[in-house]
Amino acid sequence: MGPHTAAADPRAGGRRRNSPPPRHVSRTAPRPPGSPTDAGSPTDAPAPAPKDPWDLPDVSGLVVGVLGGTGDQGRGLAYRLAKAGQKVIIGSRAADRARAAAGELGLGVEGADNAECARRSDIVIVAVPWDGHAKTLETLRDELAGKLVVDCVNPLGFDKKGAYALKPAEGSAAEQAAALLPGSRVTAAFHHLSAVLLQDASIDEIDTDVMVLGEERADVEIVQALAGRIPGMRGVFAGRLRNAHQVESLVANLISVNRRYKAHAGLRVTDV
């Protein structure tokens, strides 16, 4: 408030600068030296420095399960994570199909049916087709209880004009997962990765950022750290699950980019 505002003028309902305080305002007697509110006391201690957003946990010892790991996206993620040294289990509705895919990948990858994959994993990536998303999660609710679930499913439709986003009743695939798995810690990530690049053994680095969404910072940071295990990749916090729809929908735009420019486009977030 400036020195010439109306509150400094007694005619405007204020009081003069040197007038005594009104009766309802109590005066506080000076405290003797050494009292708790003196400088140097705990109440005057500097606030702790904010946490470095890039100080992420070590996730190298966690087992990662990939539901839908026999599909292109799931298989590519399994390959990249296993190549980075992560223990990976591929899940499928058919255990023999999962074991066959795991054998082709090598790198210590194991195959199992979806239920066993979920039970044995610390982190479970959901990479199933959108039309089987709800049913898959409903049948695995018990096995996924207490697990960190990473949903990377993109609800998309296709017509003669190309890809377009679908909006689930819950708002997004990730929010549908959270509704179906109340006992799990649901996050969303790995939406914008090219399955072609992920599976290409001649490519050493995947030059892209991974947008990670979730409700708990600790869970988000685990997923960020997991993304960072893949050379060239970086996990970036992108908000809570209520923001997942636009992240999932952006894949429709990337598909259009890829078709026009004959590319395998990804994303980079600048200035962070």
Side-chain angles (χ1 to χ4, degrees):
M1 184 179 294
H4 303 295
T5 60
D9 186 345
R11 294 171 298 175
R15 60 182 178 86
R16 297 183 187 278
R17 181 175 299 176
N18 297 321
S19 62
R23 290 180 181 234
H24 66 273
V25 177
S26 62
R27 294 175 181 268
T28 303
R31 294 181 179 272
S35 63
T37 56
D38 284 345
S41 68
T43 57
D44 294 320
K51 186 180 184 300
D52 180 354
W54 298 113
D55 181 15
L56 302 174
D58 178 10
V59 298
S60 59
L62 299 180
V63 177
V64 179
V66 184
L67 303 180
T70 58
D72 289 340
Q73 194 78 2
R75 186 185 178 103
L77 282 169
Y79 168 68
R80 289 292 165 178
L81 291 169
K83 189 176 180 181
Q86 209 76 34
K87 175 61 182 176
V88 177
I89 302 172
I90 283 178
S92 176
R93 287 176 297 177
D96 55 348
R97 186 180 176 191
R99 285 192 287 267
E104 293 171 2
L105 290 177
L107 301 170
V109 177
E110 296 184 40
D113 62 43
N114 282 331
E116 182 182 349
C117 172
R119 280 193 300 267
R120 294 177 55 195
S121 301
D122 301 303
I123 304 173
V124 181
I125 298 174
V126 181
V128 300
W130 166 240
D131 57 5
H133 183 261
K135 184 176 180 180
T136 299
L137 298 183
E138 284 172 345
T139 61
L140 297 173
R141 183 179 288 117
D142 292 341
E143 289 82 359
L144 291 171
K147 307 287 185 177
L148 176 55
V149 174
V150 186
D151 201 298
C152 70
V153 175
N154 302 303
L156 297 176
F158 295 86
D159 60 20
K160 63 182 180 180
K161 294 182 180 180
Y164 59 95
L166 303 175
K167 188 163 186 179
E170 298 85 354
S172 64
E175 288 170 293
Q176 182 183 84
L180 293 172
L181 303 173
S184 303
R185 297 138 54 207
V186 176
T187 61
F190 300 116
H191 300 91
H192 306 136
L193 306 181
S194 164
V196 173
L197 298 184
L198 288 174
Q199 295 182 86
D200 190 340
S202 69
I203 297 175
D204 293 325
E205 295 189 1
I206 306 295
D207 183 25
T208 192
D209 284 335
V210 172
M211 302 181 79
V212 184
L213 303 96
E215 299 302 316
E216 298 295 335
R217 180 166 184 164
D219 294 337
V220 168
E221 290 182 343
I222 289 172
V223 181
Q224 286 182 262
L226 186 66
R229 296 273 289 161
I230 300 174
M233 202 173 288
R234 185 179 65 157
V236 178
F237 171 62
R240 294 179 179 268
L241 291 184
R242 67 181 183 180
N243 295 318
H245 172 64
Q246 52 264 42
V247 173
E248 297 167 1
S249 300
L250 187 58
V251 176
N253 303 89
L254 290 177
I255 290 172
S256 297
V257 170
N258 291 339
R259 287 181 174 176
R260 173 63 58 89
Y261 298 100
K262 311 302 181 189
H264 303 293
L267 295 179
R268 276 293 186 201
V269 180
T270 63
D271 201 33
V272 294

